[in-house]
Amino acid sequence: MFHNHWHPIRTITATAEGGASADDPGQPTPPAESETGGEPIDWEAKYKEALGHSRDWEKKAKANKAAADELEKLKESQMSEAEKAAKHTQELEAQVAAYKAKEQQAEWKAQVSAKTGIPAEALRGSSLEEIQAHADVLKPLLHPAPKLPNVPNPAQHPEGRTADERAKAYVRSLFGNKD
């Protein structure tokens, strides 16, 4: 059913001549040597060199950021008064639009609150339809339908009498009162 295909792992170790040998697994691997002189590679020196390059690039990036900030300030200072006024006007118009939208939403919430009896603070939404939909969800939770008392149906009792009439009749039968 299942075929067992086992492939042994071959290890390659270095031989005395510097080549690899799969037949001599007992030999330890010598330290890495550089390609040019056969000397061991100084990894710590390489790390410090790479770290130095990294620091150089970091300094260049900070200098570029400072130059970009300075250029932005220069552009801003060269803007005409009309351009500055136009930019300021756009910012103020955006604020006014936001205030009007909030005011309109508050008006809608008050309107829906008056209609449904749900507090305006509890209502959420950015359009009249969303606020009304939220009110429809909250209304059954805040104003549940009253539960009616359980009144037995007189037609279901023997002789068509209510429970109260039957109790009075029982008391009369106990005391022999025929009234």
Side-chain angles (χ1 to χ4, degrees), residues 85-95:
K87 182 178 178 184
H88 187 65
T89 302
Q90 285 177 342
E91 291 171 359
L92 292 177
E93 285 175 350
Q95 286 180 348

Side-chain angles (χ1 to χ4, degrees), residues 8 13 31 67 69 77 102 125 138 149 174-176:
T13 57
D69 290 343
S77 69
K102 260 191 177 190
L138 293 178
L174 286 177
F175 294 110

Side-chain angles (χ1 to χ4, degrees), residues 163-176:
D164 190 37
E165 291 171 342
R166 285 188 326 201
K168 286 179 185 177
Y170 178 71
V171 170
R172 273 189 241 135
S173 69
L174 286 177
F175 294 110

Side-chain angles (χ1 to χ4, degrees), residues 117-140:
I118 297 174
E121 300 82 31
L123 296 172
R124 300 287 178 258
S126 57
S127 69
L128 180 59
E129 292 78 22
E130 289 176 2
I131 294 170
Q132 287 173 338
H134 192 236
D136 292 341
V137 170
L138 293 178
K139 191 172 184 177

Side-chain angles (χ1 to χ4, degrees), residues 70-98:
E70 192 175 317
L71 179 63
E72 185 64 33
K73 287 180 185 177
L74 179 64
K75 283 182 180 180
E76 191 174 303
S77 69
Q78 290 179 349
M79 258 201 241
S80 69
E81 289 300 318
E83 290 173 331
K84 288 180 185 178
K87 182 178 178 184
H88 187 65
T89 302
Q90 285 177 342
E91 291 171 359
L92 292 177
E93 285 175 350
Q95 286 180 348
V96 168

Side-chain angles (χ1 to χ4, degrees), residues 10 62 66 73 89 116 140 148 157 167:
R10 251 177 80 194
K62 286 180 180 178
K73 287 180 185 177
T89 302
T116 61
L148 300 176
H157 295 291

Side-chain angles (χ1 to χ4, degrees), residues 39-54:
E39 306 172 1
I41 297 174
D42 187 5
W43 293 109
E44 186 174 351
K46 286 197 172 282
Y47 169 75
K48 287 181 180 179
E49 180 183 348
L51 191 61
H53 287 298
S54 173

